[in-house]
Amino acid sequence: MKRVAVVSVGQTKFVSRRRDVIHPELAFEASSAALNDAHLSIDDIGALTMGVMDPFDGVDCCDRWICGAAGGYNKPVIRINTAGATGMSAAIAAYEHVASGMFQIVMAVSEQRVSEPVDAQTLLNTCTCPYHERAMGGSAITLGAIPATRHMYRYGSTHKQRALSAVKAHKHAMNNPYAHLRFEVSVEDVLNSPIVEWPLRLLDCCPRSDGAVAVVFASEDVARAITDRPAWVNGVVSIADGPFFGDRPDVSYRASLAIAARRLYRQCGIKDPLKDIDVAELYIPFTSLELIQTEAYGFCEEGKGGELLEEGVTWMGGELPINPSGGVLCTNCIGATAELRVAEAAIQVMGKGELRQVPNVETALASGLGGMLQFHTLMMLGSEPR
Amino acid sequence: MTSRDYVFNDEHNTFRDTGRQIVDKDTRSKIDVRESYGCHDNARSTMWGRPMILMNRKAQSQGLNDHKGANQMRVAVIGVGQIPSEQCKRDVFSDQSALISKAALADAALDIGQIGNVVAGEYDLVTGRTAEHMYTIPASGGYLKDEIRINDDGLFALAQAYMGIMAGQFETTLVLSTGISSEGPQELITNMRLSPFYHRHLGLHEKLANGMQALQYRARYGITEQQSAKVAVKNRKSALRNQYAHLRKDVTEEEVLESEFDCWPLRILERAPWSDGGCAVVLASEPLARRICLNPVWIDGLGWSNETYYLEDKDLTQLTATKHAAQQAYAMAGIRDPVREIDVAEIYDITTYHELMAYEALGFCTSGAAGRLIEEGVTDMNGDLPVNPSGGVLSSNPLSASGLARFVECVLQLRGQANEHQIKNARTGLAHCITGYGAQRSCVAIVRR
């Protein structure tokens, strides 16, 4: 068993529609950026894991098309797909490749072009159960809307509190040259934007982006030789909940997410998450999920997620900045989004964040959510190995 | 102590209560569980409550670890399960997953609470859904467990599960593959896997690409139709004795050669059918397997590889990915002479020609000599190196589970539990799978008793 570190990351600029490149070229951009970042050549890479979610690319099993360009020609390649958590699962798989001692350096590459399907939500509807849920038209936005309503009812959170999450994300994204949506919004802008699915408004929701991201994992034997400040993987967790939304005890509090977080904290020896974690890159495609996640991760008490936002604890300069990159609300390339969280968390630990850098990061948390709020993946990165 | 006597409490691993109670219950039980006995939360970082080093040292003192370095852990297969392959299963596909997982767990004599994580190997779209594992993983018992889904054949999922255990992340892993191919038009779905600019409009699908490969292979090496028919006869005859096989009907060489063309030059009896079925494997780390399993089968070699996607860019007559995967697996298992050292091989014979091509790629013979190998009967049930005693993919092809099914059959052979299609004294087995256009990806696993 080996300790594993992230030694380099690469990402493309995220936009609504990349007209100038096709899928393999997009993956190539990200993987070559990651290799250049660490001065590695493709021959140094022992194996690849690919994270692509079908069928958003308009091509089934798109990884087979792109993995050659990503560097997987005549190399071991495993393709991961766990819905929204795909990218993080690919990262976890790459971590296991290295931790098992079978490979020294492994690259996880995730790519997605969400501009390909005419309507992504129709595709997302096909992941619901065809007998019970599909006819109701549920989609990803439903996952944000129902918990938002329930959270307001149960804990008295307000539209304004959720709007702050969007304001924060867009403000942070101004510092990130790779982010898709780069404009500042005010609370009024959010509250006056058109309703997408009540109570979520347009600015409460994530965009659809094209882009790719690559993260290189290396074992303890070589990590320090590659980079002076690797980001050590100190804990990984994933958890599966049941598929039926109606079966959840209460959608406003994600019990399975809390369990996953506790398992992770136990692995990393974290007692007080708010103090011990320096920065978090969370999978927040809808503003309501910021409240739910901050509560489940123990950053605040249950039901107090809105107040945490109001107090400014999770803003840049606060005690625990969440999503200094702008997060999913500003960039969402579905299969790659969760890996982008790992990449951004690693950037923070490695101190390469430039404008979006949080000072003195020793511990960074990344999260990924997938399915009908069903698959949760968490990764803890640190400046020192556990 | 038999494996069935090994019982422990899995109370904290079963979360039956609603949200708030879970929190309290878990916090409270944290201390109890850690102190009382080995059932660990989510199977991470400690081995059944004891530090890993102690366990290894114990195994070492018993001389059990002598095959490799003292710290080199192995991974054991402690249970396998499968359901019979059929043309069309009537139940919901997630119900199949539950049946498969139950069968594997019963074989391993474990309770679902004692499983650390679930690794699924399934394709999307084949059942008309995206994110199919949303249903199969919870149904197989993955609720509130660590999960990951490999969007490829189940044998790749096995490789990932193997690495999870080797990484010290888990003690026990359930690898699951549910193959339902009756729900969608598979030709259309595989056509969707082609790049939209150059390939899709050709109307290609994977079966056609297999036909192209077969044709080129036949032309280059002078493989005859009779040699190809012999493969079909051999595998279909073996399938008669396998109660899980889909097509259980003996065919003669004449019948194969007279059967209709499916996609030229492949005839209906020369290519695999579409089936519904599935299988699962329970893996365990070495120290645990030694304690709870009477007949563990060890995964000694694993290799997988990927070659170019573009059919026009590669030599279709060579299974290059298989060649690379086999090299990796043989190196890991220390195999130098495959024909002599391997007792039984389960090969992914999506067509009869692919079985022949695999002989060459796996090093059973030199390039172009596979035709002679089948004529001499080397790969017959009674030959030197029996291939596909289960009937192979030619007899049952539950999409995405076909590769893992090869592995399951190998394990049954090594344990001596293959009933009517048992090979005598099988000690080393090889399982192989190929996926994608022109066998783009391949995975090879070596198991030993």
PDB file of all heavy atoms in Angstrom, chain A residues 262-276:
ATOM      1  N   ARG A 262     -18.468  11.773   7.786  1.00  0.00           N
ATOM      2  CA  ARG A 262     -17.896  11.249   9.045  1.00  0.00           C
ATOM      3  C   ARG A 262     -16.856  10.176   8.770  1.00  0.00           C
ATOM      4  O   ARG A 262     -15.828  10.103   9.427  1.00  0.00           O
ATOM      5  CB  ARG A 262     -19.000  10.708   9.936  1.00  0.00           C
ATOM      6  CG  ARG A 262     -19.367  11.638  11.054  1.00  0.00           C
ATOM      7  CD  ARG A 262     -20.090  10.927  12.157  1.00  0.00           C
ATOM      8  NE  ARG A 262     -20.962   9.879  11.683  1.00  0.00           N
ATOM      9  CZ  ARG A 262     -22.153  10.091  11.133  1.00  0.00           C
ATOM     10  NH1 ARG A 262     -22.597  11.314  11.000  1.00  0.00           N
ATOM     11  NH2 ARG A 262     -22.889   9.087  10.732  1.00  0.00           N
ATOM     12  N   ARG A 263     -17.136   9.332   7.785  1.00  0.00           N
ATOM     13  CA  ARG A 263     -16.150   8.302   7.439  1.00  0.00           C
ATOM     14  C   ARG A 263     -14.849   8.948   6.980  1.00  0.00           C
ATOM     15  O   ARG A 263     -13.759   8.499   7.317  1.00  0.00           O
ATOM     16  CB  ARG A 263     -16.700   7.403   6.330  1.00  0.00           C
ATOM     17  CG  ARG A 263     -17.766   6.459   6.821  1.00  0.00           C
ATOM     18  CD  ARG A 263     -18.324   5.646   5.677  1.00  0.00           C
ATOM     19  NE  ARG A 263     -19.425   4.810   6.134  1.00  0.00           N
ATOM     20  CZ  ARG A 263     -20.242   4.151   5.331  1.00  0.00           C
ATOM     21  NH1 ARG A 263     -20.086   4.224   4.032  1.00  0.00           N
ATOM     22  NH2 ARG A 263     -21.213   3.411   5.819  1.00  0.00           N
ATOM     23  N   LEU A 264     -14.994  10.012   6.221  1.00  0.00           N
ATOM     24  CA  LEU A 264     -13.800  10.700   5.710  1.00  0.00           C
ATOM     25  C   LEU A 264     -13.037  11.352   6.856  1.00  0.00           C
ATOM     26  O   LEU A 264     -11.813  11.232   6.948  1.00  0.00           O
ATOM     27  CB  LEU A 264     -14.212  11.746   4.683  1.00  0.00           C
ATOM     28  CG  LEU A 264     -13.055  12.484   4.022  1.00  0.00           C
ATOM     29  CD1 LEU A 264     -12.370  11.587   3.011  1.00  0.00           C
ATOM     30  CD2 LEU A 264     -13.510  13.754   3.345  1.00  0.00           C
ATOM     31  N   TYR A 265     -13.752  12.040   7.734  1.00  0.00           N
ATOM     32  CA  TYR A 265     -13.085  12.729   8.838  1.00  0.00           C
ATOM     33  C   TYR A 265     -12.364  11.730   9.732  1.00  0.00           C
ATOM     34  O   TYR A 265     -11.299  12.012  10.269  1.00  0.00           O
ATOM     35  CB  TYR A 265     -14.102  13.526   9.659  1.00  0.00           C
ATOM     36  CG  TYR A 265     -14.762  14.648   8.897  1.00  0.00           C
ATOM     37  CD1 TYR A 265     -15.972  15.182   9.291  1.00  0.00           C
ATOM     38  CD2 TYR A 265     -14.164  15.167   7.749  1.00  0.00           C
ATOM     39  CE1 TYR A 265     -16.576  16.204   8.589  1.00  0.00           C
ATOM     40  CE2 TYR A 265     -14.758  16.187   7.027  1.00  0.00           C
ATOM     41  CZ  TYR A 265     -15.972  16.696   7.455  1.00  0.00           C
ATOM     42  OH  TYR A 265     -16.570  17.704   6.740  1.00  0.00           O
ATOM     43  N   ARG A 266     -12.955  10.553   9.896  1.00  0.00           N
ATOM     44  CA  ARG A 266     -12.320   9.519  10.718  1.00  0.00           C
ATOM     45  C   ARG A 266     -10.996   9.082  10.070  1.00  0.00           C
ATOM     46  O   ARG A 266     -10.011   8.881  10.754  1.00  0.00           O
ATOM     47  CB  ARG A 266     -13.269   8.317  10.834  1.00  0.00           C
ATOM     48  CG  ARG A 266     -13.189   7.620  12.165  1.00  0.00           C
ATOM     49  CD  ARG A 266     -14.281   6.591  12.274  1.00  0.00           C
ATOM     50  NE  ARG A 266     -15.598   7.199  12.349  1.00  0.00           N
ATOM     51  CZ  ARG A 266     -16.733   6.537  12.106  1.00  0.00           C
ATOM     52  NH1 ARG A 266     -16.693   5.261  11.776  1.00  0.00           N
ATOM     53  NH2 ARG A 266     -17.886   7.128  12.200  1.00  0.00           N
ATOM     54  N   GLN A 267     -11.026   8.947   8.747  1.00  0.00           N
ATOM     55  CA  GLN A 267      -9.785   8.567   8.049  1.00  0.00           C
ATOM     56  C   GLN A 267      -8.699   9.606   8.216  1.00  0.00           C
ATOM     57  O   GLN A 267      -7.530   9.279   8.338  1.00  0.00           O
ATOM     58  CB  GLN A 267     -10.062   8.440   6.545  1.00  0.00           C
ATOM     59  CG  GLN A 267     -10.672   7.152   6.114  1.00  0.00           C
ATOM     60  CD  GLN A 267     -10.814   7.147   4.598  1.00  0.00           C
ATOM     61  OE1 GLN A 267      -9.894   7.494   3.880  1.00  0.00           O
ATOM     62  NE2 GLN A 267     -11.976   6.744   4.126  1.00  0.00           N
ATOM     63  N   CYS A 268      -9.097  10.883   8.188  1.00  0.00           N
ATOM     64  CA  CYS A 268      -8.085  11.949   8.181  1.00  0.00           C
ATOM     65  C   CYS A 268      -7.862  12.522   9.574  1.00  0.00           C
ATOM     66  O   CYS A 268      -7.065  13.449   9.729  1.00  0.00           O
ATOM     67  CB  CYS A 268      -8.503  13.088   7.269  1.00  0.00           C
ATOM     68  SG  CYS A 268      -9.187  12.585   5.732  1.00  0.00           S
ATOM     69  N   GLY A 269      -8.575  12.029  10.557  1.00  0.00           N
ATOM     70  CA  GLY A 269      -8.417  12.529  11.915  1.00  0.00           C
ATOM     71  C   GLY A 269      -8.879  13.971  12.067  1.00  0.00           C
ATOM     72  O   GLY A 269      -8.234  14.765  12.750  1.00  0.00           O
ATOM     73  N   ILE A 270      -9.975  14.312  11.433  1.00  0.00           N
ATOM     74  CA  ILE A 270     -10.492  15.677  11.547  1.00  0.00           C
ATOM     75  C   ILE A 270     -11.570  15.718  12.622  1.00  0.00           C
ATOM     76  O   ILE A 270     -12.525  14.937  12.592  1.00  0.00           O
ATOM     77  CB  ILE A 270     -11.014  16.169  10.188  1.00  0.00           C
ATOM     78  CG1 ILE A 270      -9.801  16.558   9.343  1.00  0.00           C
ATOM     79  CG2 ILE A 270     -11.969  17.333  10.345  1.00  0.00           C
ATOM     80  CD1 ILE A 270     -10.113  16.970   7.960  1.00  0.00           C
ATOM     81  N   LYS A 271     -11.380  16.621  13.584  1.00  0.00           N
ATOM     82  CA  LYS A 271     -12.331  16.692  14.697  1.00  0.00           C
ATOM     83  C   LYS A 271     -13.349  17.792  14.446  1.00  0.00           C
ATOM     84  O   LYS A 271     -14.541  17.592  14.563  1.00  0.00           O
ATOM     85  CB  LYS A 271     -11.577  16.969  16.008  1.00  0.00           C
ATOM     86  CG  LYS A 271     -10.473  15.967  16.305  1.00  0.00           C
ATOM     87  CD  LYS A 271     -10.965  14.941  17.286  1.00  0.00           C
ATOM     88  CE  LYS A 271     -10.122  13.682  17.379  1.00  0.00           C
ATOM     89  NZ  LYS A 271      -8.794  13.665  16.811  1.00  0.00           N
ATOM     90  N   ASP A 272     -12.844  18.971  14.152  1.00  0.00           N
ATOM     91  CA  ASP A 272     -13.729  20.106  13.931  1.00  0.00           C
ATOM     92  C   ASP A 272     -13.573  20.558  12.479  1.00  0.00           C
ATOM     93  O   ASP A 272     -12.630  21.254  12.138  1.00  0.00           O
ATOM     94  CB  ASP A 272     -13.339  21.243  14.893  1.00  0.00           C
ATOM     95  CG  ASP A 272     -14.253  22.441  14.724  1.00  0.00           C
ATOM     96  OD1 ASP A 272     -15.081  22.427  13.781  1.00  0.00           O
ATOM     97  OD2 ASP A 272     -14.139  23.384  15.514  1.00  0.00           O
ATOM     98  N   PRO A 273     -14.478  20.144  11.625  1.00  0.00           N
ATOM     99  CA  PRO A 273     -14.294  20.387  10.193  1.00  0.00           C
ATOM    100  C   PRO A 273     -14.104  21.861   9.848  1.00  0.00           C
ATOM    101  O   PRO A 273     -13.289  22.204   9.007  1.00  0.00           O
ATOM    102  CB  PRO A 273     -15.560  19.824   9.552  1.00  0.00           C
ATOM    103  CG  PRO A 273     -16.392  19.275  10.628  1.00  0.00           C
ATOM    104  CD  PRO A 273     -15.683  19.385  11.923  1.00  0.00           C
ATOM    105  N   LEU A 274     -14.858  22.732  10.510  1.00  0.00           N
ATOM    106  CA  LEU A 274     -14.789  24.151  10.156  1.00  0.00           C
ATOM    107  C   LEU A 274     -13.390  24.696  10.411  1.00  0.00           C
ATOM    108  O   LEU A 274     -12.864  25.500   9.646  1.00  0.00           O
ATOM    109  CB  LEU A 274     -15.832  24.932  10.956  1.00  0.00           C
ATOM    110  CG  LEU A 274     -16.053  26.375  10.526  1.00  0.00           C
ATOM    111  CD1 LEU A 274     -16.604  26.440   9.124  1.00  0.00           C
ATOM    112  CD2 LEU A 274     -16.990  27.088  11.490  1.00  0.00           C
ATOM    113  N   LYS A 275     -12.764  24.250  11.490  1.00  0.00           N
ATOM    114  CA  LYS A 275     -11.425  24.751  11.823  1.00  0.00           C
ATOM    115  C   LYS A 275     -10.337  23.980  11.080  1.00  0.00           C
ATOM    116  O   LYS A 275      -9.368  24.557  10.605  1.00  0.00           O
ATOM    117  CB  LYS A 275     -11.186  24.603  13.333  1.00  0.00           C
ATOM    118  CG  LYS A 275     -11.928  25.623  14.165  1.00  0.00           C
ATOM    119  CD  LYS A 275     -11.156  25.925  15.443  1.00  0.00           C
ATOM    120  CE  LYS A 275     -11.849  27.006  16.243  1.00  0.00           C
ATOM    121  NZ  LYS A 275     -13.136  26.533  16.813  1.00  0.00           N
ATOM    122  N   ASP A 276     -10.495  22.654  11.006  1.00  0.00           N
ATOM    123  CA  ASP A 276      -9.412  21.818  10.485  1.00  0.00           C
ATOM    124  C   ASP A 276      -9.282  21.875   8.970  1.00  0.00           C
ATOM    125  O   ASP A 276      -8.221  21.616   8.423  1.00  0.00           O
ATOM    126  CB  ASP A 276      -9.617  20.354  10.921  1.00  0.00           C
ATOM    127  CG  ASP A 276      -9.486  20.207  12.418  1.00  0.00           C
ATOM    128  OD1 ASP A 276      -9.034  21.185  13.047  1.00  0.00           O
ATOM    129  OD2 ASP A 276      -9.816  19.136  12.958  1.00  0.00           O
TER     130      ASP A 276
END
